Structures are given as structure tokens and as C-alpha cells.
Amino acid sequence: MTEDIQRKLQSELNSFKNVQKELQKAIQTRQQLDGQFNENEIVKQELDILPDDGKVYKSVGPVLIKTELVEAKQNVSKRIDYITKELKRVDDLIVNLEKKQDGHREALQKLQHQFQQAQVKAALHA
Amino acid sequence: MAQISATEQKGMQQIDLTTLNIQQLSTLKQQLDQELNLFQESLGSLKIAQTKFQNSGETLEKVTPEAEGKEILVPLTGSMYVPGKLHETNNVIIDIGTRYYVEKDIDAAKDYFQRKIKFVTEQMEKIQYLGLEKSKIRDAIVEIAEMKLAQQQQQS
């Protein structure tokens, strides 16, 4: 009886840890995306206040290549759109994983309780 | 992610700290400690950014029309320089992030750095305020936890 519960407890603990790891990873991705989003927003603001004939360069490796302002603006907007979508995706993922984690935590607590009870019982019989 | 705040906010649950047990209090304290650490780190990075912007802004003071044609030493590596001549001293190229660079005249460039310094300073003030608030909550938690511990000892 106790061994049975112990086995269940172990497998539940493993899946709980796995979810926790996934959640950590998702949160890290979220933070990274958030940083990229902010950086791009700032670049967009800078490009927006530039005069129409402003000179813009893009660094490709060690060289600066001249770009059209319109093109740069489009590029940054596209990137912001993409990052916004990614942020939404990761947010959903985090919500899902948090739900999963809570589920596992509850199951773990239940099993722990059962395990303790079984141990007490075994001790009484002994 | 879960937020902890002393001021009431929409969608937030109010919790009376005295109703929590010692374990819950210590988890809460750990969480706050982590956040406070993060704040310290962010403040450090912001301070570095602020100094960089300040340095760049100050350097611009030396780039004047009179400096045109003056000799400078251009660093090729950290320890190797080649002589060069200043050319087109009324324009500079600024890194605005995500690998984009824009050309600005000196006044616009000065304005750029002023704005950046202001922005960074504002962020620092925000974080300092939040950090103060959180450390207040942390102190309250520690106090209540100590109180509870004392109570437990008396009972046993």
C-alpha cells in the first residue's frame, strides 16, 4: 500500500518538476521578448522624430549600410508586430503552465497526505 | 506574474499578513527578496547606461565647427591608434539600438542624449520608489514572522 503511494508520489513529483522547468523557460523567453519589444519601441520613436530626409544606417557586421528611412520604419514596425504576437503566445503558454503546475501541486499534496496516513496505519499494525 | 504591492490595485487580492502561517510568510519574504535583488541589479545597469549617455553628451561639447580638420587618434583596437583628421564636425552618427544608426547634427545629438539621460533617470526613480515600497512590505513580513515565532515558543 505505502509503496504504491510512494511510486505515485514519485511520478507526480517528476511531472511537477518538469512543468516547473518549462515554466521557468517560458518566463525567461517572456523577459527576453519584453526587452526586445522595448528596444524596438524606442528605436521606432527615434525614427519617428527624424526628418523625412534623415540619414539612417544599418550595421551589418562591422560596416554601416545606408538605408531609406521609410524602409527602416517598416522594418521596425514589422518586428514590433512579430514580437507582440510572440509575447501573446508566450503569455498564453505561461498561463497554461501555471494552471498545470497548480494541478500537480494539489495532487502532490493529496498524495503526501495519503502517504502519511498509510504510514501511520502501518505503524499501528506493526 | 504575481504582483505584491502595498497600495490597492484593480484585480488584486488583499491579504492580512497576520492570517498567514510562518511557512507562507517565509515564502512571501523569499519572493520579495528576489524581487528586491532584481531591482538592485536593474538599478546598477541603469546607472551604467546613464553614465554612458552622460559621457557621450559631454564628448559632443568638444565637437565644434572649429574642430574641423584637427588631428585625432582613432582607436583601431583597445591599444592601437592611428592618426586621423576630423571631418564634417557638424554631424555625428548615433546608435539608436537594434543595429540602427542615424545621422544627427550636434544640437539634435545633444538633445538625443539629454532625452536618454532623462528617460533613464525616470526609470531609476520608478524602480527606487517600487523598491522602497517592497522593502517596507518585507520588513512588515519579517516583523509578523518574528511575532508568530515568539508566540509559538511561549505556547510550547
Side-chain angles (χ1 to χ4, degrees):
Chain A
M1 180 63 185
T2 17
E3 274 166 28
D4 201 33
I5 297 175
Q6 208 167 12
R7 223 178 309 122
K8 268 191 208 155
L9 200 67
Q10 196 58 48
S11 81
E12 193 61 34
L13 192 68
N14 277 341
S15 34
F16 176 70
K17 274 186 185 159
N18 277 338
V19 173
Q20 220 169 18
K21 249 187 239 158
E22 273 181 66
L23 188 65
Q24 285 284 328
K25 224 164 70 186
I27 289 172
Q28 226 174 18
T29 320
R30 213 226 107 107
Q31 277 167 347
Q32 210 183 345
L33 282 170
D34 209 35
Q36 283 174 345
F37 180 78
N38 283 326
E39 195 181 354
N40 276 291
E41 274 288 317
I42 287 170
V43 174
K44 188 178 182 313
Q45 281 166 21
E46 280 309 319
L47 290 175
D48 279 343
I49 57 168
L50 230 56
D52 284 341
D53 59 344
K55 285 179 186 156
V56 187
Y57 303 84
K58 186 165 182 18
S59 97
V60 181
V63 283
L64 291 183
I65 293 171
K66 196 160 181 314
T67 337
E68 289 303 317
L69 179 58
V70 192
E71 203 183 311
K73 276 184 185 172
Q74 274 173 358
N75 221 327
V76 174
S77 299
K78 237 188 273 165
R79 253 192 288 185
I80 289 176
D81 282 348
Y82 174 73
I83 295 170
T84 317
K85 265 186 218 141
E86 280 296 294
L87 270 173
K88 170 101 184 52
R89 193 182 64 80
V90 176
D91 273 344
D92 288 345
L93 185 69
I94 288 176
V95 171
N96 260 329
L97 284 173
E98 270 174 351
K99 251 188 227 151
K100 248 193 200 169
Q101 195 188 31
D102 285 344
H104 282 306
R105 191 183 286 134
E106 256 173 56
L108 260 182
Q109 267 165 358
K110 240 183 238 163
L111 280 169
Q112 240 161 8
H113 191 67
Q114 273 175 17
F115 182 63
Q116 272 165 1
Q117 275 184 335
Q119 263 187 332
V120 171
K121 233 186 228 168
L124 278 177
H125 282 296
Chain B
M1 258 192 285
Q3 296 268 330
I4 304 171
S5 170
T7 43
E8 232 181 310
Q9 269 170 49
K10 234 173 100 182
M12 264 195 179
Q13 210 183 339
Q14 246 189 7
I15 294 174
D16 184 0
L17 285 177
T18 48
T19 58
L20 299 178
N21 64 34
I22 289 176
Q23 210 192 350
Q24 283 168 321
L25 284 170
S26 92
T27 322
L28 209 57
K29 181 182 163 287
Q30 258 174 17
Q31 207 182 328
L32 279 164
D33 278 340
Q34 265 174 11
E35 281 183 55
L36 281 168
N37 267 333
L38 196 73
F39 282 170
Q40 278 307 324
E41 268 172 46
S42 310
L43 268 182
S45 324
L46 281 169
K47 185 80 209 153
I48 293 171
Q50 197 189 33
T51 320
K52 274 189 184 166
F53 285 135
Q54 258 159 3
N55 279 341
S56 301
E58 279 162 22
T59 311
L60 276 176
E61 298 292 336
K62 298 199 181 72
V63 186
T64 54
E66 294 91 68
E68 174 102 42
K70 276 195 183 162
E71 276 215 354
I72 50 159
L73 288 171
V74 186
L76 282 189
T77 67
S79 56
M80 189 166 70
Y81 299 79
V82 288
K85 277 203 172 84
L86 270 175
H87 174 62
E88 226 189 289
T89 46
N90 41 354
N91 282 319
V92 286
I93 293 173
I94 298 175
D95 179 358
I96 56 166
T98 69
R99 301 188 150 212
Y100 277 112
Y101 290 71
V102 294
E103 194 174 289
K104 282 180 184 291
D105 59 40
I106 299 297
D107 284 332
K110 276 183 191 163
D111 175 60
Y112 171 83
F113 288 119
Q114 284 296 323
R115 272 191 289 122
K116 289 287 136 177
I117 292 169
K118 191 168 160 256
F119 176 74
V120 173
T121 314
E122 275 169 10
Q123 301 301 313
M124 285 171 81
E125 278 164 6
K126 264 189 220 163
I127 291 180
Q128 256 156 0
Y129 173 75
L130 280 174
L132 213 68
E133 201 189 58
K134 300 244 170 176
S135 55
K136 264 188 213 153
I137 305 174
R138 187 187 164 277
D139 290 346
I141 290 171
V142 171
E143 208 179 305
I144 291 168
E146 273 168 8
M147 212 172 70
K148 293 223 164 180
L149 264 179
Q151 268 175 3
Q152 260 186 0
Q153 268 167 354
Q154 266 182 352
Q155 273 165 8
S156 57

